[in-house]
Amino acid sequence: MTTATSSIRVLLADDQALLRSAFRVLVDSEPDMEVVGEAADGAEAVELARSLGVDVVLMDIRMPGTDGLAATRMISEDPELSAVRVVMLTTFEVDEYVVQSLRAGASGFLGKGAEPDELLNAIRIVAAGEALLSPVATTGLIATFLKQASALGQGGTADDDEAAAARTERLSALTVREREVLVQVAGGHSNDEIAEQLVVSPLTVKTHVNRAMAKLGARDRAQLVVIAYESGLVRPRVE
């Protein structure tokens, strides 16, 4: 087991033992990360996240009992787990649960067919909390699903509608610059790219992002993207 203080502590949550074993070998082969636990269902994942000091959870969406979606929501709603980041693992690149996962608190998603380097990079990016995993692809999926939900009149439950209305109202607390930065974040741009676009320093962009997250109650950039679309600040492109 890696003992370096900078080691990223990873929890694997998947009902397939063989897949967990493959992920463990891959993750443990890296000097800057280690697998600290394995869970076969969502309930066990939440329990281990609380007891093992986990940084990142690789969470399968579909598991028996408590699924990955419910487990992610439980983690994101637990104040003691506010630093834990979840990467949702999907069987297909376009999954109907992706947006629900992000709404529940996941920091991003990754297809199970991803290359090893993609998986390792995803863990590092999410652990750093500085960028949404595969931002352009994720943004496109969010836009697609929100557009479909709107067209079909499937905006969600009354509670979901109230939450969306509250997020829209909170946008009024943002400064003009924070709104500009939020639009850029929703477009999948990095801090450096946003800084170049707005002719400011990356540190200034990071400050605006952090303030926007605090005002909107977002855990990370993934949540900012969802809020930007749900509030109507950014609208899906019509191809």
Side-chain angles (χ1 to χ4, degrees):
M1 179 179 294
T2 304
T3 58
T5 56
S6 61
S7 177
I8 301 171
R9 298 170 62 82
V10 180
L11 172 65
L12 307 176
D14 196 297
D15 60 323
Q16 299 182 45
L18 187 59
L19 193 56
R20 294 199 309 270
S21 296
F23 284 152
R24 174 181 281 275
V25 171
L26 177 63
V27 172
D28 282 343
S29 69
E30 297 298 296
D32 62 336
M33 60 183 71
E34 61 175 327
V35 173
V36 296
E38 297 183 21
D41 59 51
E44 186 179 11
V46 175
E47 181 180 340
L48 292 179
R50 288 172 176 155
S51 63
L52 296 178
V54 173
D55 297 313
V56 176
V57 182
L58 294 183
M59 183 87 75
D60 186 23
I61 284 185
R62 297 181 179 88
M63 291 184 288
T66 302
D67 63 15
L69 186 63
T72 297
R73 185 175 295 109
M74 293 168 69
I75 289 173
S76 68
E77 292 177 350
D78 188 336
E80 295 184 1
L81 300 178
S82 61
V84 178
R85 295 292 175 258
V86 176
V87 175
M88 197 67 76
L89 299 176
T90 67
T91 303
F92 305 104
E93 292 301 321
V94 178
D95 193 304
E96 63 180 358
Y97 296 116
V98 167
V99 175
Q100 294 179 51
S101 300
L102 295 175
R103 284 173 175 157
S107 294
F109 70 94
L110 195 68
K112 288 186 176 181
E115 295 295 324
D117 286 347
E118 288 183 88
L119 178 64
L120 297 173
N121 191 44
I123 293 172
R124 294 186 179 101
I125 289 175
V126 172
E130 295 182 357
L132 173 64
L133 176 62
S134 301
V136 175
T138 303
T139 300
L141 280 174
I142 291 173
T144 298
F145 281 111
L146 290 181
K147 183 171 65 175
Q148 290 176 349
S150 176
L152 296 174
Q154 298 174 344
T157 65
D159 289 341
D160 291 335
D161 292 339
E162 289 180 7
R167 280 191 289 270
T168 302
E169 183 177 350
R170 285 203 299 272
L171 286 180
S172 63
L174 300 182
T175 65
V176 173
R177 181 61 86 181
E178 287 165 357
R179 281 175 176 253
E180 291 175 339
V181 169
L182 179 54
V183 170
Q184 293 294 319
V185 169
H189 301 295
S190 68
N191 284 354
D192 287 343
E193 291 170 337
I194 298 172
E196 183 177 354
Q197 178 71 23
L198 300 181
V199 195
V200 296
S201 72
L203 181 58
T204 297
V205 173
K206 184 176 182 180
T207 298
H208 288 313
V209 170
N210 289 340
R211 287 176 179 170
M213 285 194 293
K215 291 178 180 180
L216 297 175
R219 281 167 57 91
D220 54 24
R221 294 172 78 102
Q223 296 301 295
L224 283 181
V225 173
V226 174
I227 291 171
Y229 277 103
E230 288 185 329
S231 67
L233 180 64
V234 178
R235 297 190 180 279
R237 291 194 187 95
V238 178
E239 301 296 342

